[in-house]
């Protein structure tokens, strides 16, 4: 069983979908750790309820990103995390973690990248008058939502679409797509800490 670590900053509904998939056996993995940069985030309660260990920190307590990422790296090494799963983690991953986990960090984003990267992708799509948007799961590189795309799924944006209704459509896809894609990725055997064996 592969150990994964989930990174979240807020509500954690994707985190919950991943927990449920592990519990039902749909996702063959162990959630070894939740990393959260927002003390008080609801994702932490979800971790506690599921008995998942947490590392919670406040970036303001550190001078540099490197300082808290070193701490995260230490925790990840301790639990033997093999894949890092970003699920609403609202920070860029820095060189400390990228170097160690190159090709082993994935993110989910609520648009069809490369359209609407960054914050409030759903609001951006509506403001642009887009007729469709969707969900992208991609590997993480040093950019903002720029890494190699693994899978995408689209939704239509209706005439009377609101932010709430579009968010609901997108999250319904996310909660199905993320666990199933993680299972496929882990089953393919490409996620390994052997740097030479990594492909994407
Ligand atoms: C999701 O829509 C995800 O695509 C984006 O942040 C949101 C997190 O939602 N990266 P939640 O915290 O999983 O409910």
């Amino acid at each position: 069983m592969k150990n994964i670590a989930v990174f979240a900053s807020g509500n954690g509904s994707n985190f919950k979908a991943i927990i449920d998939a592990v519990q039902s056996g749909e996702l063959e993995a162990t959630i070894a750790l939740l990393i959260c940069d927002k003390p008080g985030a609801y994702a932490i309660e979800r971790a506690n309820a599921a008995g998942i260990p947490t590392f919670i920190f406040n970036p303001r307590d550190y001078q540099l990103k490197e300082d808290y990422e070193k701490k995260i790296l230490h925790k990840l090494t301790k639990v033997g995390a093999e894949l890092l799963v970003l699920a609403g983690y609202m920070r860029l991953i820095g060189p400390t973690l990228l170097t160690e986990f190159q090709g082993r960090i994935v993110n989910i984003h609520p648009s069809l990248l490369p359209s609407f990267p960054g914050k409030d992708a759903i609001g951006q799509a509506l403001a642009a008058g887009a007729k469709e948007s969707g969900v992208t799961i991609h590997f993480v590189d040093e950019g903002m939502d720029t890494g190699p795309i693994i899978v995408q799924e689209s939704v239509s944006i209706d005439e009377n679409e609101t932010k709430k209704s579009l968010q609901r459509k997108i999250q319904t896809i996310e909660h199905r797509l993320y666990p199933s894609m993680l299972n496929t990725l882990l089953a393919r055997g490409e996620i390994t800490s052997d740097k030479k064996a990594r492909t994407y």
Side-chain angles (χ1 to χ4, degrees), residues 8-16 43 46 86-90 107-111 122 135-136 145 167 170-171 174-175:
S9 302
N11 176 30
S13 70
N14 279 282
F15 175 44
K16 177 69 165 76
R46 297 187 194 271
L86 311 191
Y89 182 66
M90 302 303 284
N107 180 43
I108 190 160
H109 183 79
S111 77
I122 294 173
V135 174
T136 302
D145 304 319
Q167 183 173 7
I170 283 183
Q171 290 230 310
E174 289 187 337
H175 298 162

Side-chain angles (χ1 to χ4, degrees), residues 78-137:
K78 236 168 114 178
V79 300
E82 289 156 284
L83 176 68
L84 311 189
V85 177
L86 311 191
Y89 182 66
M90 302 303 284
R91 303 191 166 267
L92 280 179
I93 300 291
T96 307
L97 292 176
L98 275 175
T99 308
E100 200 58 38
F101 284 91
Q102 203 213 345
R104 298 189 291 144
I105 312 176
V106 291
N107 180 43
I108 190 160
H109 183 79
S111 77
L112 296 176
L113 291 171
S115 296
F116 313 125
K119 282 195 181 138
D120 192 20
I122 294 173
Q124 288 185 54
L126 287 173
K131 293 275 173 279
E132 68 164 9
S133 190
V135 174
T136 302
I137 299 171

Side-chain angles (χ1 to χ4, degrees), residues 2-3 73 76-77 79-84 98-105 186 189-199:
K2 293 270 180 189
N3 279 343
L73 182 56
L76 293 171
T77 309
V79 300
E82 289 156 284
L83 176 68
L84 311 189
L98 275 175
T99 308
E100 200 58 38
F101 284 91
Q102 203 213 345
R104 298 189 291 144
I105 312 176
L186 291 171
E190 289 167 12
I191 299 303
T192 161
S193 44
D194 173 3
K195 291 184 184 174
K196 276 179 248 119
R198 266 184 249 134
T199 54

Side-chain angles (χ1 to χ4, degrees), residues 25 34 38 54 105 114 134 141 153 158 172 183 192:
L34 171 76
K38 288 258 162 57
T54 55
I105 312 176
D141 63 12
E153 197 169 311
D158 300 331
T172 302
N183 196 54
T192 161

Side-chain angles (χ1 to χ4, degrees), residues 147-173:
I149 290 170
I150 304 168
V151 65
Q152 292 186 304
E153 197 169 311
S154 61
V155 283
S156 63
I157 299 179
D158 300 331
E159 236 167 69
N160 298 320
E161 202 77 72
T162 62
K163 207 162 157 181
K164 224 173 169 174
S165 67
L166 183 54
Q167 183 173 7
R168 204 173 307 126
K169 282 187 197 172
I170 283 183
Q171 290 230 310
T172 302
I173 295 175

